[in-house]
Amino acid sequence: MPSLLHPALPLLLGATLTFRALRRALSRLPLPAHVRADPLRTWRWHNLLVSFAHSIVSGIWALLCLWQSPEMLVEIETAWSLSGYLLVCFSAGYFIHDTVDIVVSHQARASWEYLVHHVMAMGAFFSGIFYKRFVGGGVLTLLVEVSNIFLTIRMMMKINNAQDHLLYRVNKYVNLVMYFLFRLAPQSYLTHFFLRYAGERTLGTFLLSVLLMLDVMILIYFSRLLRSDFCPERVSGRQHKDKFLTE
């Protein structure tokens, strides 16, 4: 059982404080005029900058972990590497930071979906951190950060009302491909793996329940993505205040 003296706690604290420091540093960068004019967009822009940095580092790190320890692709429960363990701690620190940032900034109501996602992700990561099991599963889950690089670019351009730019039009197709390769495919593979734990009262069963809830959220996000980028006529008449917070 995890204790107050668990050696992973300094890693989690260090990662959380690192992202907090990064948030403060990035907030000093100049803002696009359209973003600067709205305090809510300003907060979301800074929040996404941190997310973008996390996605680049974690996405590349996850690919390197699998290249160095390919057994994680098969031995999802037992495979372990120091690099993979540190990656999971690093990303858990990001989710802790982002959760605190959302709550402290009084955006919990508008961003409740992110909070639900973060709580589930942290629950899954903590099982690998404190029990040193399913670290390979954590690394595979973090392949989604490769997709998030392009998803975050999309969201930042939407916040800046830049949907008519060529970069947005190109990125929306790249984002769709990456969504399939690094979000839907790994999630399907992991769900298939954890289905073997159905009916058992084990850590694997807990992780399966988390995965199934994430599956539902991912499919909802995917349907929103398709409607927004490829069927805009279906949403053009719908008014949704501060829609950019979640889409």
Side-chain angles (χ1 to χ4, degrees), residues 232 234-244 247:
R234 295 189 178 184
V235 296
S236 58
R238 184 181 63 181
Q239 298 298 319
H240 191 304
K241 187 178 184 298
D242 303 329
K243 179 180 174 183
F244 60 84
E247 295 188 18

Side-chain angles (χ1 to χ4, degrees), residues 191-204:
T191 301
H192 178 266
F193 174 87
F194 278 101
L195 280 173
R196 71 179 66 183
Y197 294 97
E200 299 179 17
R201 294 183 178 181
T202 63
L203 181 59

Side-chain angles (χ1 to χ4, degrees), residues 174-222:
V174 176
N175 180 44
L176 186 63
V177 173
M178 293 299 175
Y179 204 101
F180 274 105
L181 293 178
F182 292 101
R183 187 180 293 262
L184 294 179
Q187 194 75 13
S188 299
Y189 177 71
L190 285 169
T191 301
H192 178 266
F193 174 87
F194 278 101
L195 280 173
R196 71 179 66 183
Y197 294 97
E200 299 179 17
R201 294 183 178 181
T202 63
L203 181 59
T205 304
F206 165 73
L207 294 177
L208 172 61
S209 64
V210 171
L211 272 173
L212 292 176
M213 288 187 287
L214 288 174
D215 287 346
V216 174
M217 294 186 72
I218 286 174
L219 291 176
I220 292 174
Y221 289 151
F222 186 54

Side-chain angles (χ1 to χ4, degrees), residues 64-124:
L64 288 174
C65 283
L66 294 176
W67 179 69
Q68 294 171 344
S69 304
E71 63 273 13
M72 287 185 173
L73 291 167
V74 180
E75 301 169 11
I76 293 175
E77 179 178 1
T78 58
W80 191 92
S81 73
L82 178 59
S83 180
Y85 185 79
L86 292 176
L87 169 58
V88 173
C89 290
F90 176 78
S91 288
Y94 164 74
F95 286 119
I96 294 172
H97 155 77
D98 200 50
T99 299
V100 173
D101 185 39
I102 291 172
V103 174
V104 171
S105 301
H106 306 291
Q107 298 301 325
R109 183 174 181 179
S111 305
W112 66 269
E113 296 174 35
Y114 287 104
L115 292 179
V116 172
H117 172 272
H118 289 2
V119 169
M120 291 191 293
M122 285 187 288

